[in-house]
Amino acid sequence: MTKIILTLICAICTFTTFNSQNINLDEYEIYIGDTLVAKSDFVKFSNTLTEERSKKLQFKPISDGAKKAYFFNGKLSSNGTIKNLKENGFWQYWHPNGKKAREGEFVDGKPNGTHKYWYENGDLRAIGNWKNGVYDGKWEMYQPNKEIVIQVYKDGKLIE
């Protein structure tokens, strides 16, 4: 009977330990040593981390300040400033191949003003306006075949 009780206690402790290790990545920055890692890359490639990198892995609460995050391939992923624990000011993002992906202003973590987007090959993909985190104003979308689609939004709703 004692063995059964001990086995149950061990099983419960193991289950609790594994479940308590779930982490909300929206609340943490991911570092390998001193390098801030792009969350998208971590989610995609964390199961392929070498033992050496795994030992240097750290989850730190998001902090204010200038931030540069990198892809696992060493190329820059994003560059901007965190203020009040959210993106604020001008931010730039890159594709894993090093070509620019996006740039624009953020206010309290929400896109605001004109943002530009690029395809992985470097061609312009879109230029559009945001207001408090929703589409607002003119958006020009550049199709790979060079056709331009223009849409107009008001408070996040397509009006034209």
Side-chain angles (χ1 to χ4, degrees):
M1 183 70 168
T2 306
K3 286 183 181 181
I4 293 172
I5 292 172
L6 284 174
T7 304
L8 283 172
I9 290 171
C10 286
I12 289 169
C13 288
T14 302
F15 180 75
T16 304
T17 300
F18 285 136
N19 280 339
S20 68
Q21 290 181 7
N22 288 335
I23 229 172
N24 181 356
L25 292 181
D26 292 336
E27 298 173 2
Y28 290 89
E29 297 172 333
I30 304 161
Y31 287 85
I32 296 180
D34 293 333
T35 302
L36 180 59
V37 174
K39 288 182 185 180
S40 60
D41 238 28
F42 177 76
V43 169
K44 191 173 182 180
F45 298 114
S46 63
N47 60 342
T48 64
L49 281 176
T50 64
E51 185 177 341
E52 179 183 335
R53 278 186 156 179
S54 292
K55 288 179 182 176
K56 295 179 181 179
L57 185 64
Q58 301 174 62
F59 295 91
K60 299 178 182 179
I62 293 174
S63 61
D64 288 347
K67 304 291 177 175
K68 283 187 177 185
Y70 293 85
F71 293 109
F72 282 158
N73 68 10
K75 294 190 184 280
L76 189 60
S77 166
S78 62
N79 182 28
T81 301
I82 298 291
K83 182 180 176 187
N84 298 322
L85 307 181
K86 296 178 183 173
E87 295 164 310
N88 275 282
F90 186 74
W91 275 79
Q92 298 174 302
Y93 299 87
W94 287 266
H95 293 288
N97 66 5
K99 302 242 184 202
K100 192 175 276 191
R102 176 182 183 178
E103 68 180 22
E105 293 285 331
F106 284 80
V107 176
D108 290 328
K110 296 176 183 174
N112 214 49
T114 301
H115 281 235
K116 293 181 181 179
Y117 300 79
W118 289 269
Y119 290 104
E120 283 191 71
N121 68 4
D123 289 346
L124 188 61
R125 189 177 112 208
I127 300 174
N129 292 298
W130 292 88
K131 184 178 177 185
N132 200 27
V134 296
Y135 292 168
D136 193 77
K138 182 178 175 183
W139 276 80
E140 297 177 10
M141 275 101 27
Y142 301 87
Q143 307 300 317
N145 65 3
K146 305 298 181 199
E147 177 187 346
I148 300 173
V149 176
I150 297 177
Q151 296 177 332
V152 179
Y153 291 84
K154 179 73 175 158
D155 299 323
K157 294 184 176 137
L158 181 62
I159 60 170
E160 185 180 318

